[in-house]
Amino acid sequence: MSGLSSVLGPALKAAAGLAGINKLWFLPTFLAAITYYHYDLYDPESKPFDVKSVAPEYDFIVIGGGSAGAVLANRLTEEPAWRVLLLEAGGQETEITDVPALSLFLHGSRFDWKYKGQPSTTSCQAMIDRRCCWTRGKVIGGSSVLNTMLYVRGNRRDYDHWASEGNVGWSYQEVLPYFLKSQDQRNPYLARTPYHTAGGYLSVDDVPWKTPLGIAFLQAGQEMGYELRDVNGEFQTGFAPFQFTMRRGMRVSSAKAFLNPVRLRKNLNVALWSHVTKLLIDPITRRAYGVEFIRGGVKKTVIANKEVILAAGAVGSPQLLMLSGIGPKAHLQQKNIPVLVDSPGVGGNVMDHIAVGGIAFLVDYPISLVLQRAFNLNSALRYAISGEGPLTSSVGLEAVGFITTKYGNASDDCDKFYNEVFAEINNRDVFGVFPMMLRPKSRGVIRLRSNNPLQYPLIYPNYLTHPDDVKVLREGVKAGLALGQTAAMKRFGARYWDKPLPGCKQFAPYTDEYWDCYVRQYTMTIYHMSGSCKMGPSTDPYAVVDPQLRVHGIDGLRVIDASIMPTITNGNINAPVIMIAEKGADMIKYYWKTPGIAARQSRNTNTTIV
């Protein structure tokens, strides 16, 4: 299981019993109630059509139907003359994937690629085989079907930094319109501010179910001297309630937001259960002209008249580039792959947000989201009938604090705390604080296991290989403990659950040495994998794509997903990935609709063509 799941191990086990073993009535009753009360919402015809057969050629082929791919398929088919094929390796969403409280149960399911990092000596020490799981969505909608639906754009300094590194057009003021373009902000107070808007495809709303601990968390932040903020507003440092990609208490995945409304467009074909295995590239002209994929056990080929667009994510995109001859020359030769472009940055620069698990506080009052209150007949019917109740809670996530440790920069270089009310320990209500590092200095690597496209790549997250990352998380733990000591939390009798971590018993509790050990034991990925196909100008030898998201050294090929991030953004990355796809779609439209521009622009390359 994932790092977060290991923290909640007893809770998940209990929930499994409640939902499937001890109370066999819950799941079928729940599904029947949803079907009865929401038959119109769950009509199979409302989902994207899965074409039975793929045409020989299209104008654009989009690989991956996740957060980026769904946006691209929508925006490109706004041009009626363009035929677009969206290839997705997984299948459809289900009623269960719509339920916010069940998101953790989807990890390790058929909706998950089930990747795992390689064993580590610096992190994930308390995990099985010292490996952190890398949950990635294998379903239409991608990881937006499995995530906790948090809508966080990041810090304006993230994007200004991208622009300062030569990525023209990617400053905060230039990307903000693309965040607004997607958004349908359902909180009327936020919708009237300059940082939000209504009417877009992507619903953003407040969670219907709240506990007193969420409010107390915000009050605790004020006691610590922080302002209350709009997490996506002018300033980020401070405490804020979360915003969610949610509508009527149900998950809004990228597929539900961007594909369902346009499923009747004649120029859009969606092919599910289609695993792309290779990009077709002319070795003479260095132009991508199609893809190979496997569907129903049969290898197929399809041609792209204009462009092939990789939106397969931080693992899938570099893997496909390398399998197709674009990557570090020595590595490709070692795997017996003919080298088309020696691009040393492919699969490098891997980033993720990691947190520290297990920082739990016992409370004396029955106020938290515990399993017995969520998984019962009353909550199931309440959810099915009115879209309310504890099942609308995103695994207890309610509020967040962005703070700066003594190792941070002058402003907005933050640790992030989740207030997660997750389980009962020793039959008591509990809340958890999860310090999360937002600007890691450690970098990971993705490499091919072999030239077999069906074999998963080797993932080396390299968490905490830079000593500064350990220091930041250590200070985050201290700040989390201080939050539990505020008057706002003490009202509920909050006290730290100080059971020593078995792997750190050799160190005195509460010392820096103990917390350093704790951080390395209880490393939790937050599943924000990014950076493995870095965006940068031709002067950057490790850049994989240019600021127009075109692959250096290859014509007709772009990468548009989280892998292009030069540095990771401050917060959950689903909203930034959707923004990247919105902006990328406009770049493609400009390129092909401006008379003569495709002929005038030469390939911008920083790579060695072999």
Side-chain angles (χ1 to χ4, degrees):
M1 294 298 288
S2 69
L4 181 55
S5 298
S6 67
V7 174
L8 311 185
L12 293 176
K13 186 176 181 180
L18 285 168
I21 300 174
N22 297 328
K23 295 189 178 181
L24 296 175
W25 55 265
F26 179 80
L27 191 56
T29 302
F30 184 44
L31 291 173
I34 290 177
T35 303
Y36 178 78
Y37 287 103
H38 292 285
Y39 68 93
D40 56 329
L41 298 178
Y42 292 99
D43 180 354
E45 293 301 312
S46 69
K47 296 176 181 178
F49 294 113
D50 181 18
V51 296
K52 292 183 179 179
S53 60
V54 172
E57 60 183 48
Y58 294 83
D59 293 299
F60 297 92
I61 300 172
V62 180
I63 302 169
S67 294
V71 175
L72 290 163
N74 177 310
R75 297 304 187 185
L76 293 179
T77 53
E78 289 175 340
E79 299 297 325
W82 289 353
R83 297 192 66 212
V84 177
L85 172 65
L86 178 63
L87 294 170
E88 167 55 45
Q92 297 278 17
E93 300 173 85
T94 69
E95 290 84 352
I96 291 299
T97 62
D98 284 335
V99 184
L102 299 182
S103 63
L104 290 182
F105 296 97
L106 304 176
H107 294 203
S109 71
R110 67 180 176 89
F111 304 108
D112 182 3
W113 281 95
K114 306 175 190 176
Y115 294 123
K116 285 188 177 182
Q118 293 301 109
S120 171
T121 59
T122 60
S123 62
C124 307
Q125 297 299 286
M127 313 304 174
I128 296 175
D129 298 328
R130 307 188 313 280
R131 303 172 74 181
C132 274
C133 292
W134 270 34
T135 295
R136 299 283 82 199
K138 188 179 183 182
V139 57
I140 194 74
S143 295
S144 72
V145 175
L146 310 180
N147 68 7
T148 50
M149 302 170 294
L150 301 180
Y151 182 81
V152 184
R153 295 172 181 168
N155 194 295
R156 66 172 60 237
R157 294 173 61 224
D158 299 332
Y159 305 104
D160 290 343
H161 176 67
W162 291 6
S164 72
E165 290 195 331
N167 294 298
V168 177
W170 290 91
S171 71
Y172 178 73
Q173 289 302 322
E174 290 167 306
V175 303
L176 179 59
Y178 289 102
F179 283 114
L180 298 177
K181 181 178 182 179
S182 292
Q183 190 185 36
D184 180 25
Q185 174 57 254
R186 301 217 161 186
N187 181 320
Y189 299 99
L190 292 176
R192 290 195 292 265
T193 71
Y195 295 92
H196 297 275
T197 190
Y201 283 104
L202 184 68
S203 297
V204 179
D205 205 351
D206 302 328
V207 67
W209 178 261
K210 300 178 176 66
T211 74
L213 286 171
I215 297 172
F217 183 84
L218 299 176
Q219 293 170 337
Q222 289 179 300
E223 282 189 55
M224 295 173 70
Y226 290 94
E227 299 285 340
L228 296 185
R229 302 290 192 193
D230 165 10
V231 71
N232 295 305
E234 183 177 5
F235 301 104
Q236 191 178 39
T237 299
F239 280 58
F242 274 124
Q243 299 164 28
F244 298 86
T245 50
M246 180 181 288
R247 183 168 58 238
R248 296 188 297 274
M250 300 180 187
R251 174 188 298 276
V252 175
S253 69
S254 61
K256 186 183 293 185
F258 292 94
L259 291 178
N260 291 11
V262 301
R263 64 189 182 279
L264 297 179
R265 286 181 182 168
K266 300 298 184 183
N267 58 338
L268 172 62
N269 279 184
V270 177
L272 303 178
W273 306 111
S274 301
H275 187 157
V276 176
T277 55
K278 187 178 181 180
L279 310 174
L280 300 177
I281 302 171
D282 189 307
I284 305 299
T285 64
R286 298 298 196 275
R287 180 171 185 84
Y289 64 89
V291 303
E292 288 182 357
F293 65 100
I294 296 174
R295 195 184 197 201
V298 178
K299 181 181 289 187
K300 301 174 183 291
T301 298
V302 60
I303 302 302
N305 292 323
K306 285 183 166 62
E307 291 190 23
V308 174
I309 305 168
L310 257 178
V315 178
S317 288
Q319 181 187 19
L320 273 171
L321 287 176
M322 288 187 283
L323 286 169
S324 307
I326 304 167
K329 181 179 179 179
H331 176 63
L332 298 187
Q333 290 176 333
Q334 183 186 36
K335 302 301 179 184
N336 297 316
I337 296 174
V339 182
L340 288 179
V341 177
D342 179 11
S343 183
V346 174
N349 192 47
V350 173
M351 297 167 287
D352 189 11
H353 289 141
I354 57 174
V356 184
I359 310 299
F361 294 84
L362 303 173
V363 292
D364 290 334
Y365 300 92
I367 55 176
S368 64
L369 178 69
V370 295
L371 294 166
Q372 289 85 346
R373 296 176 200 136
F375 294 89
N376 56 55
L377 182 60
N378 178 65
S379 64
L381 291 176
R382 188 176 177 187
Y383 176 87
I385 295 170
S386 60
E388 298 177 347
L391 291 175
T392 66
S393 173
S394 180
V395 293
L397 295 170
E398 294 187 62
V400 63
F402 290 88
I403 71 167
T404 304
T405 70
K406 66 182 182 181
Y407 297 105
N409 292 334
S411 65
D412 286 339
D413 193 358
C414 317
D415 281 331
K416 178 179 180 181
F417 297 104
Y418 290 133
N419 170 36
E420 178 155 352
V421 187
F422 61 88
E424 287 185 349
I425 299 176
N426 296 328
N427 298 315
R428 292 182 181 272
D429 281 42
V430 171
F431 72 87
V433 177
F434 292 82
M436 186 174 93
M437 178 176 50
L438 292 175
R439 289 197 173 112
K441 294 182 179 178
S442 304
R443 293 291 186 271
V445 177
I446 295 173
R447 289 290 177 256
L448 296 177
R449 192 181 299 270
S450 73
N451 59 10
N452 180 354
L454 300 183
Q455 278 199 320
Y456 282 4
L458 298 168
I459 300 170
Y460 300 92
N462 293 342
Y463 298 143
L464 304 178
T465 50
H466 196 293
D468 287 356
D469 292 350
V470 179
K471 296 176 183 177
V472 170
L473 281 174
R474 179 214 304 159
E475 295 304 311
V477 170
K478 293 177 183 178
L481 295 176
L483 184 140
Q485 297 297 315
T486 58
M489 292 303 186
K490 286 296 185 183
R491 289 202 308 269
F492 303 106
R495 55 203 177 277
Y496 174 56
W497 189 50
D498 59 358
K499 183 178 180 180
L501 198 64
C504 301
K505 287 183 176 179
Q506 66 272 34
F507 301 109
Y510 297 97
T511 61
D512 284 355
E513 292 78 13
Y514 177 80
W515 293 125
D516 287 354
C517 174
Y518 198 107
V519 165
R520 293 190 186 278
Q521 289 281 320
Y522 238 145
T523 320
M524 293 169 44
T525 172
I526 307 297
Y527 311 108
H528 296 168
M529 298 77 182
S530 54
S532 51
C533 298
K534 177 185 177 183
M535 173 175 63
S538 59
T539 53
D540 182 349
Y542 291 95
V544 178
V545 301
D546 68 13
Q548 299 291 310
L549 307 182
R550 301 170 298 188
V551 174
H552 286 297
I554 298 291
D555 284 335
L557 178 62
R558 298 188 203 234
V559 180
I560 304 180
D561 57 29
S563 69
I564 66 94
M565 291 185 175
T567 51
I568 196 168
T569 55
N570 264 32
N572 303 69
I573 66 171
N574 190 54
V577 169
I578 290 172
M579 176 277 294
I580 289 168
E582 289 277 24
K583 186 171 175 63
D586 267 7
M587 289 175 170
I588 294 170
K589 289 178 179 179
Y590 178 79
Y591 182 85
W592 289 100
K593 292 180 67 179
T594 303
I597 191 170
R600 292 196 305 271
Q601 291 187 352
S602 60
R603 184 169 59 234
N604 184 19
T605 179
N606 63 346
T607 51
T608 303
I609 298 178
V610 179

